[in-house]
Amino acid sequence: MEGRELLEISSLLVEKIKGINGKIKSTYQHNQEDKKIIRQNLLKSGAEFRQMCRYSTETISKWLDGREVAGVDGSVNQTKGEAPHVLYVFQALAKTTTGHQCLTSDVYAPILEKNDEEDQGKNWRAHILAKLELEAAFQLLEERDVGLLLMDGALYHYRIDAQEEWEKLRQKALEKEVVLIGVSEEITTENLMKLEAFHMYRNRPQAFDRDLLFGVLERDELVYVETIQHKAGLQSVWMRPSADPAITGFDMLEEQAHLKEEVGNLLATLTPKDGRGIPLWLDYIDREVRVTDKLVEALVEQYIDPELQHRFFAKKRNYRPY
């Protein structure tokens, strides 16, 4: 009987999934003709398309002129449970391709904080992670002669999440003539639909730029749209540096924006042709810095008193008899 009920539930679930599949397909139709229209609308909006070229080792070496390439990424994980009865563990790593690294870390316990009214809207998790990444990057620029610094994520979010540390890094990059780039794989902007040429997409429930541009760019192609540049002090570019049809974004300081085509070429060179569209060095740092569940569990088990573990950070569901 139970088996039959489970099969009935499963078949209903399958039908609902199929229904959702059909609705998504009809709402977000995206065939070859649609892609052509999107390209035409981009051109109508003043977009500039460029074909990126992959540099030889000799060309990269000449461009860097003895300086280094570095990347920055961060990671956060938490004990199992719900705030405030959790601990957040943070790490950030800035590392050159020659192996020199700067590591920063922190632990945040919401149970030790008062919820002041002025802090209600502040995302402390995002703030701490951005702060640590910026501090690691700043330290690296102090210690090494870096020519190209890749941050994992848009520069724009650093300016929002950790304004003071962002301004310090920005000034340091300009002072030392370090080309500072934010590389984004999760692009959540909806800028294109604000343009008149894209008005027909405004009736969709969502019209994210990444979804509209999926499969629109050719391999090793970038596009810059002047009319949607609204981030003061920064310029943003979209590109497709690999076989993956999804776009990757990068933003850079306005003072360095004249280098955007060279930067596109460098990023394409540093990205595997058949990869997911992200420079390999950033993926390497992501793997090195990641705060895993096992690491969090080991730290808590070894350094938090057993009584405190049970009182504040253990969930009753962990003690179920099955």
Side-chain angles (χ1 to χ4, degrees):
M1 182 72 173
E2 285 180 11
R4 267 195 228 115
E5 284 175 0
L6 186 61
L7 285 173
E8 276 180 41
I9 293 169
S10 296
S11 64
L12 285 172
L13 189 58
V14 166
E15 288 308 308
K16 286 184 179 292
I17 290 285
K18 284 181 177 178
I20 289 292
N21 177 69
K23 284 180 182 177
I24 293 173
K25 277 179 77 173
S26 60
T27 304
Y28 296 99
Q29 181 178 311
H30 202 62
N31 57 36
Q32 287 304 316
E33 188 57 34
D34 293 315
K35 293 173 190 176
K36 280 183 189 175
I37 292 169
I38 288 171
R39 282 187 78 92
Q40 288 166 6
N41 288 338
L42 283 166
L43 289 169
K44 283 179 192 174
S45 305
E48 299 172 28
F49 290 90
R50 294 286 185 275
Q51 196 67 28
M52 297 179 287
C53 66
R54 291 175 182 266
Y55 287 156
S56 65
T57 306
E58 184 183 349
T59 303
I60 291 180
S61 182
K62 189 176 177 182
W63 191 90
L64 289 169
D65 193 24
R67 307 178 82 193
E68 297 181 272
V69 174
V72 184
D73 196 6
S75 177
V76 57
N77 204 346
Q78 67 181 74
T79 53
K80 291 179 173 59
E82 303 296 329
H85 294 86
V86 290
L87 288 177
Y88 293 100
V89 179
F90 299 83
Q91 280 194 147
L93 176 65
K95 189 170 183 175
T96 67
T97 53
T98 57
H100 186 88
Q101 67 178 45
C102 296
L103 184 68
T104 55
S105 57
D106 203 355
V107 179
Y108 178 63
I111 206 162
L112 295 176
E113 303 293 334
K114 283 188 177 180
N115 289 326
D116 296 331
E117 282 184 29
E118 62 191 52
D119 293 337
Q120 287 293 325
K122 194 163 187 176
N123 185 342
W124 278 103
R125 179 176 159 138
H127 169 70
I128 294 171
L129 189 59
K131 177 175 177 287
L132 290 174
E133 290 179 24
L134 291 165
E135 287 174 346
F138 185 87
Q139 186 183 341
L140 189 70
L141 295 195
E142 292 246 282
E143 296 176 6
R144 306 295 287 186
D145 187 14
V146 175
L148 178 68
L149 182 63
L150 307 178
M151 307 289 291
D152 186 72
L155 298 182
Y156 182 64
H157 95 79
Y158 291 107
R159 193 178 72 183
I160 293 172
D161 294 333
Q163 190 172 1
E164 187 179 327
E165 290 77 14
W166 158 251
E167 191 54 35
K168 279 180 67 179
L169 181 66
R170 189 185 77 84
Q171 292 290 351
K172 178 64 72 175
L174 291 173
E175 174 195 318
K176 297 192 73 172
E177 297 184 347
V178 179
V179 179
L180 181 60
I181 305 297
V183 181
S184 310
E185 55 182 309
E186 296 301 325
I187 298 165
T188 56
T189 53
E190 294 182 288
N191 290 325
L192 287 178
M193 73 166 183
K194 297 170 188 172
L195 301 176
E196 186 54 36
F198 288 85
H199 72 276
M200 70 287 293
Y201 298 103
R202 293 173 193 164
N203 61 355
R204 288 182 173 183
Q206 310 286 344
F208 292 117
D209 298 326
R210 55 169 287 175
D211 300 332
L212 287 175
L213 293 177
F214 186 87
V216 170
L217 297 185
E218 302 294 337
R219 283 183 66 162
D220 289 340
E221 187 175 45
L222 67 75
V223 63
Y224 172 74
V225 188
E226 174 66 39
T227 46
I228 60 169
Q229 302 298 318
H230 306 306
K231 300 173 184 175
L234 299 169
Q235 286 195 17
S236 303
V237 179
W238 293 315
M239 63 177 181
R240 182 186 171 185
S242 73
D244 191 323
I247 59 167
T248 299
F250 71 86
D251 59 350
M252 57 195 303
L253 302 179
E254 205 163 49
E255 295 89 337
Q256 300 174 336
H258 60 283
L259 297 170
K260 57 180 168 281
E261 287 185 37
E262 290 175 47
V263 168
N265 294 340
L266 284 163
L267 293 177
T269 306
L270 296 170
T271 302
K273 288 182 181 179
D274 296 316
R276 62 192 195 91
I278 298 297
L280 190 59
W281 190 241
L282 283 179
D283 274 342
Y284 174 81
I285 292 173
D286 172 84
R287 188 181 65 190
E288 281 215 335
V289 77
R290 188 168 298 171
V291 180
T292 62
D293 289 344
K294 283 186 178 179
L295 176 59
V296 173
E297 289 166 12
L299 287 169
V300 170
E301 192 174 318
Q302 190 161 355
Y303 298 109
I304 300 292
D305 289 352
E307 182 189 342
L308 296 179
Q309 289 180 42
H310 189 77
R311 183 179 171 193
F312 292 110
F313 307 119
K315 298 187 74 173
K316 281 191 176 291
R317 67 177 64 172
N318 295 340
Y319 301 100
R320 287 171 178 164
Y322 54 86

